[in-house]
């Protein structure tokens, strides 16, 4: 929650800075700041109350047990992915906190290095400590970036699985509605 709140604050400040830098073009800048949304995403959210039209032959060929099984399997897959994502996010948060501590150490070592007289043995030793800490920080940053990429991929997988589940549920709902209509006619 704390990390998410920080990202929210950062996003707000970036957006405000972007808007104020646009001067008279406020509306254009605000529109440019919106995240990219595919037309399929818009269509899926706009038509969520109505199931998409299906081919009648396709609906008649649906095996309701198989469809229920697929929905259950994808639901279980989503649960597993979300647990894994939470674990990775917790690790990412710990890594970010560790990176902050490393950056603080780098600042301290840099101040120590600069406080020593230039060319002295103490200054050279402090510079070596500073360079070592800096190298260590770069390695930690690289692993932090890799974890970030993993989190992004995981979140995309979850989103895709949820879309697939929603699509299957809509199909099932439409199938059941069609079956009720058939039963009423007979």
């Amino acid at each position: 929650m704390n990390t998410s709140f920080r990202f929210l604050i950062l996003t707000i400040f970036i957006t405000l800075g972007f808007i104020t830098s646009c001067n008279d073009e406020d509306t254009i800048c605000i529109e440019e700041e919106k995240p990219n949304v595919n037309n399929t995403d818009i269509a899926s959210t706009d038509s969520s109350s109505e199931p998409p039209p299906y081919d009648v032959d396709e609906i008649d060929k649906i095996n309701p047990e198989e469809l229920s099984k697929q929905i259950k399997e994808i639901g279980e897959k989503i649960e597993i992915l979300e647990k894994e994502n939470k674990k990775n996010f917790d690790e990412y948060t710990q890594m970010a906190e560790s990176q902050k501590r490393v950056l603080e150490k780098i600042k301290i070592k840099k101040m120590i290095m600069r406080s020593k007289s230039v060319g002295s043995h103490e200054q050279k030793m402090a510079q070596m400590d500073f360079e070592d800490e800096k190298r260590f920080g770069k390695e930690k940053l690289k692993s932090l970036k890799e974890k970030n990429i993993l989190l992004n991929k995981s979140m995309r997988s979850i989103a895709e699985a949820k879309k697939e589940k929603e699509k299957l549920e809509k199909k099932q709902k439409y199938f059941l509605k069609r079956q009720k209509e058939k039963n009423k006619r007979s």
Side-chain angles (χ1 to χ4, degrees), residues 19-49:
I19 290 171
T20 56
S21 69
C22 290
N23 294 337
D24 295 331
E25 301 171 352
D26 287 340
T27 56
I28 294 170
C29 292
I30 291 170
E31 289 175 3
E32 291 174 357
E33 193 65 24
K34 290 180 183 174
N36 288 338
V37 178
N38 295 337
N39 291 336
T40 56
D41 293 341
I42 293 170
S44 67
T45 56
D46 290 345
S47 63
S48 60
S49 60

Side-chain angles (χ1 to χ4, degrees), residues 61 85 136 143 162 182-183:
K61 294 177 184 177
N85 190 50
F136 178 69
S143 61
K162 285 182 177 181
K182 277 186 178 182
N183 290 340

Side-chain angles (χ1 to χ4, degrees), residues 123-138:
Q123 192 263 341
K124 289 178 183 177
M125 295 302 291
Q127 185 171 2
M128 286 175 47
D129 283 348
F130 169 72
E131 293 297 328
D132 288 343
E133 198 66 41
K134 194 168 138 182
R135 205 172 303 113
F136 178 69
K138 285 182 180 180

Side-chain angles (χ1 to χ4, degrees), residues 57-174:
D57 294 333
E58 179 186 344
I59 293 298
D60 290 337
K61 294 177 184 177
I62 290 178
N63 180 349
E65 291 86 23
E66 183 64 31
L67 192 57
S68 294
K69 182 181 173 187
Q70 287 176 343
I71 292 171
K72 182 181 176 187
E73 287 174 353
I74 203 160
E76 291 170 353
K77 178 183 174 183
I78 290 169
E79 283 183 36
I80 291 169
L81 287 172
E82 285 177 338
K83 285 179 184 176
E84 193 175 300
N85 190 50
K86 184 185 179 330
K87 179 184 153 215
N88 284 327
F89 184 76
D90 291 343
E91 290 174 1
Y92 178 81
T93 304
Q94 290 174 351
M95 291 170 74
E97 290 299 319
S98 174
Q99 184 68 18
K100 285 180 187 177
R101 288 190 295 273
V102 169
L103 289 175
E104 285 299 317
K105 286 182 183 178
I106 289 173
K107 287 179 186 177
I108 292 169
K109 297 215 183 243
K110 189 173 187 177
M111 287 189 316
I112 292 172
M113 178 185 72
R114 288 184 175 176
S115 69
K116 304 296 179 185
S117 57
V118 178
S120 69
H121 179 70
E122 293 87 15
Q123 192 263 341
K124 289 178 183 177
M125 295 302 291
Q127 185 171 2
M128 286 175 47
D129 283 348
F130 169 72
E131 293 297 328
D132 288 343
E133 198 66 41
K134 194 168 138 182
R135 205 172 303 113
F136 178 69
K138 285 182 180 180
E139 290 171 7
K140 299 273 271 179
L141 183 61
K142 182 180 176 185
S143 61
L144 186 66
K145 287 179 182 179
E146 290 170 357
K147 182 62 85 170
N148 188 21
I149 292 169
L150 177 69
L151 273 173
N152 286 329
K153 286 180 181 178
S154 175
M155 291 170 68
R156 259 188 260 130
S157 296
I158 291 170
E160 289 170 6
K162 285 182 177 181
K163 283 182 183 179
E164 181 65 26
K165 183 180 179 190
E166 183 180 325
K167 187 175 106 177
L168 290 173
E169 287 172 339
K170 284 181 180 182
K171 196 175 204 178
Q172 183 182 42
K173 183 179 178 180
Y174 186 74

